[in-house]
Amino acid sequence: MLPQLVRRLGLMLFTVWGAVSLTFVILRLAPGDQATVQLGPEATAADVAALRTELGLDRPMFTQYLDYLGGAMTGDFGESYRFRDSAMTIILDRFPATVVLALTATALALTVGLILGILAGRSPGRLADRVISGITLVMQAIPPFWSGIMLILLMALTLRLLPSAGSGDLEHLVLPAVTLAIPFAALIARITRSSVAEVTAEPYIQTARSKGLSERAVLSRHAIRNSVIPVVTMVSLHIGTLMGGAVIVEQVFAWEGVGSLLVSAVGNRDYAIVQGATVLFAIVVVTMNLLADVLNARLDPRIRAGVTS
């Protein structure tokens, strides 16, 4: 287990380095100039040149990269020119809002997805399975920005039950969390359905039924327990991706998290914010991937036997 963990940690570091480097290259090669954006179109060429020198943008690209990489290793991505504060401080101030949104969406998706998946998987091929499979297919195909706009039109503008935008209160959390949870719930339901259908066809399930156990007892004591292993692994993998996907949802609902901060920073060429937020998301994703591997090894007896042998 230890060699595998060391190898995974090494792969994590390599992935984060790749995200750091790719972000740097894309920002530097993108059209436009940070100094021009900061000073505005009225600035003179001399003012732009002076600010480029102050920001270090006149130095060779490789020199800028080495300085940026050294700062990234210590968590120092520089100062945001818009907020006049440390970029990482601003990002970490917004990070809890994104975590709350992602965890709430995960809880909703797990609740809905498991219920739908179990109902479909216990009777594969029957009417309930076909209806639920069709519903989850539509849920997974709907883009989050479209479902978010539709929820705003229905719940905020038509029924006036919930606010359309903003953050801070529980009421503001409902619509973005539901929007983010819809495709995730569909994915959980489809994986749960396949897992439950596969497990219920195993001989030991038939043996449990032949002993006179009720269908509810068979499902709760045997089928569901063994069916949740792939679901747990998938959820662990997907939480990091979900936080990245929150970028669009936060922008639609004006939720004050890292995602909306990142979008505004890209438009304003705030390099420090973009680089810091990208690295933070990369760390979250690779950490959740490692957690998924550890959970899978602990829960799945086949993998556990392979590790210990």
Side-chain angles (χ1 to χ4, degrees):
M1 184 66 180
L2 184 58
Q4 293 180 358
L5 185 60
V6 172
R7 185 168 63 250
R8 288 292 299 174
L9 288 173
L11 184 59
M12 284 176 59
L13 292 175
F14 179 78
T15 303
V16 173
W17 169 80
V20 168
S21 303
L22 189 60
T23 303
F24 174 86
V25 172
I26 291 175
L27 286 175
R28 293 309 188 278
L29 296 181
D33 181 75
Q34 183 183 9
T36 304
V37 172
Q38 285 188 226
L39 295 174
E42 307 270 332
T44 64
D47 291 336
V48 172
L51 183 57
R52 285 182 57 84
T53 301
E54 179 184 341
L55 296 174
L57 299 176
D58 59 336
R59 294 177 298 168
M61 182 81 73
F62 188 68
T63 304
Q64 295 182 48
Y65 172 71
L66 291 179
D67 290 344
Y68 160 66
L69 194 62
M73 293 177 65
T74 61
D76 180 14
F77 294 92
E79 183 180 283
S80 167
Y81 78 87
R82 291 186 303 147
F83 297 97
R84 300 299 179 184
D85 198 0
S86 167
M88 189 50 67
T89 300
I90 298 167
I91 293 168
L92 292 178
D93 285 343
R94 295 282 197 100
F95 188 59
T98 298
V99 172
V100 168
L101 176 59
L103 292 181
T104 305
T106 301
L108 291 172
L110 269 173
T111 302
V112 175
L114 286 174
I115 292 173
L116 292 178
I118 292 171
L119 290 175
R122 64 185 296 183
S123 54
R126 297 183 181 177
L127 179 61
D129 180 27
R130 292 197 295 269
V131 171
I132 291 174
S133 296
I135 292 173
T136 55
L137 183 62
V138 173
M139 289 170 60
Q140 203 166 1
I142 296 176
F145 70 87
W146 186 86
S147 59
I149 293 173
M150 293 301 103
L151 284 173
I152 290 174
L153 290 175
L154 176 63
M155 303 300 294
L157 300 182
T158 303
L159 300 179
R160 300 186 181 277
L161 295 176
L162 294 167
S164 61
S167 60
D169 297 332
L170 183 60
E171 289 184 342
H172 293 95
L173 177 62
V174 174
L175 291 184
V178 170
T179 301
L180 202 57
I182 288 174
F184 194 17
L187 180 61
I188 292 174
R190 294 172 73 84
I191 291 177
T192 304
R193 182 263 175 206
S194 299
S195 184
V196 169
E198 180 181 349
V199 169
T200 52
E202 293 290 333
Y204 70 89
I205 296 294
Q206 306 303 324
T207 301
R209 285 172 175 159
S210 67
K211 290 181 178 180
L213 290 177
S214 64
E215 192 65 21
R216 177 178 296 181
V218 170
L219 284 172
S220 60
R221 296 180 190 177
H222 302 285
I224 295 177
R225 180 182 301 177
N226 294 314
S227 300
V228 296
I229 294 175
V231 177
V232 170
T233 304
M234 186 275 297
V235 169
S236 301
L237 285 169
H238 203 73
I239 288 179
T241 308
L242 195 70
M243 294 184 66
V247 171
I248 298 174
V249 174
E250 288 183 5
Q251 190 69 10
V252 171
F253 291 97
W255 182 263
E256 295 184 357
V258 180
S260 58
L261 177 68
L262 178 60
V263 172
S264 64
V266 170
N268 290 281
R269 301 191 70 82
D270 196 337
Y271 287 169
I273 294 289
V274 175
Q275 291 166 168
T278 304
V279 171
L280 180 61
F281 279 133
I283 291 173
V284 170
V285 170
V286 297
T287 302
M288 295 311 299
N289 288 351
L290 178 63
L291 178 61
D293 287 345
V294 173
L295 286 175
N296 202 25
R298 296 281 296 179
L299 293 174
D300 195 330
R302 296 167 297 181
I303 298 177
R304 191 164 61 243
V307 171
T308 56
S309 61

